[in-house]
Amino acid sequence: ESQSGRLLARLEALLDAVAATGGWLIKLEPLDLGAMAAASIEPFALAAEEKATGTTFDVKVDAGTPLARGDAGQIARVIEHLIDNAAKYAPGKPVNVRIHASEGGVRLDVTDRGPGIRPEDVDRVFTPFGRGRNTGDKEGYGLGLYLARNIARSHGGRLWIARTSPSGTTMSLTLPVAAEPSP
């Protein structure tokens, strides 16, 4: 417990230092979240096929969805983490990714059909070392969603649990729309 406390203090100091120096060293560019999600699911789909888990992956982009704005490397890590969590907690079931315009931004939803997150654990999963109580034997340190949420915020976006029930969870990420190119 004391080691975890020291690690958390170091992590928070690092995050504070990065924020104090002007941000996360973010290189903002237009992002095609549909293409990024499709690239992110590829290794998970191959692994599911090799292990014959039955997990399927699908990406749907609504017509007219604009490009998002963000740092490609950092946002790719967030998307990969969301897909990894969905596949990990809902093996043998579909993982669906939907990208669409939403309230002046671009929204990416990752939906699984796993056991869901207990209501009392919703806030906990976004804290350092916070994990839901129904994680069972799933590996992890409880830092992924904490870091993913901080990355989303540093981009002017948001990461939250849009839906959770005993029949699955939807994790949602919104990012600003990429600026229109100047004529």
Side-chain angles (χ1 to χ4, degrees):
E1 190 175 314
S2 66
Q3 184 70 354
S4 294
R6 283 192 294 278
L7 179 60
L8 176 59
R10 286 183 184 163
L11 180 61
E12 287 176 340
L14 175 64
L15 292 173
D16 288 344
V18 169
T21 61
W24 288 77
L25 305 174
I26 296 172
K27 180 184 175 217
L28 296 176
E29 59 188 304
L31 303 176
D32 180 341
L33 294 184
M36 292 176 74
S40 292
I41 67 167
E42 210 170 293
F44 295 105
L46 288 172
E49 188 176 318
E50 282 179 12
K51 296 176 184 175
T53 64
T55 305
T56 60
F57 299 86
D58 178 59
V59 176
K60 179 184 178 219
V61 180
D62 288 5
T65 300
L67 296 177
R69 184 187 76 221
D71 181 287
Q74 291 183 23
I75 299 305
R77 282 191 287 281
V78 171
I79 294 169
E80 288 167 12
H81 184 73
L82 297 177
I83 292 169
D84 182 38
N85 271 1
K88 183 180 355 179
Y89 291 104
K93 299 188 176 156
V95 174
N96 299 302
V97 181
R98 178 179 173 225
I99 298 101
H100 55 100
S102 174
E103 302 170 19
V106 182
R107 180 170 166 172
L108 177 140
D109 295 320
V110 177
T111 302
D112 66 54
R113 295 206 179 105
I117 299 169
R118 294 178 186 181
E120 62 270 21
D121 291 339
V122 167
D123 291 332
R124 177 196 329 243
V125 299
F126 290 107
T127 62
F129 309 110
R131 300 185 72 203
R133 291 190 182 113
N134 59 352
T135 58
D137 61 349
K138 309 297 186 230
E139 291 185 18
Y141 297 104
L143 288 172
L145 289 175
Y146 169 71
L147 294 173
R149 180 177 261 181
N150 281 319
I151 290 170
R153 285 179 177 160
S154 73
H155 282 73
R158 182 175 167 224
L159 176 64
W160 76 101
I161 298 171
R163 180 188 70 83
T164 186
S165 73
S167 62
T169 300
T170 298
M171 301 293 294
S172 295
L173 167 70
T174 56
L175 292 171
V177 171
E180 293 293 321
S182 300

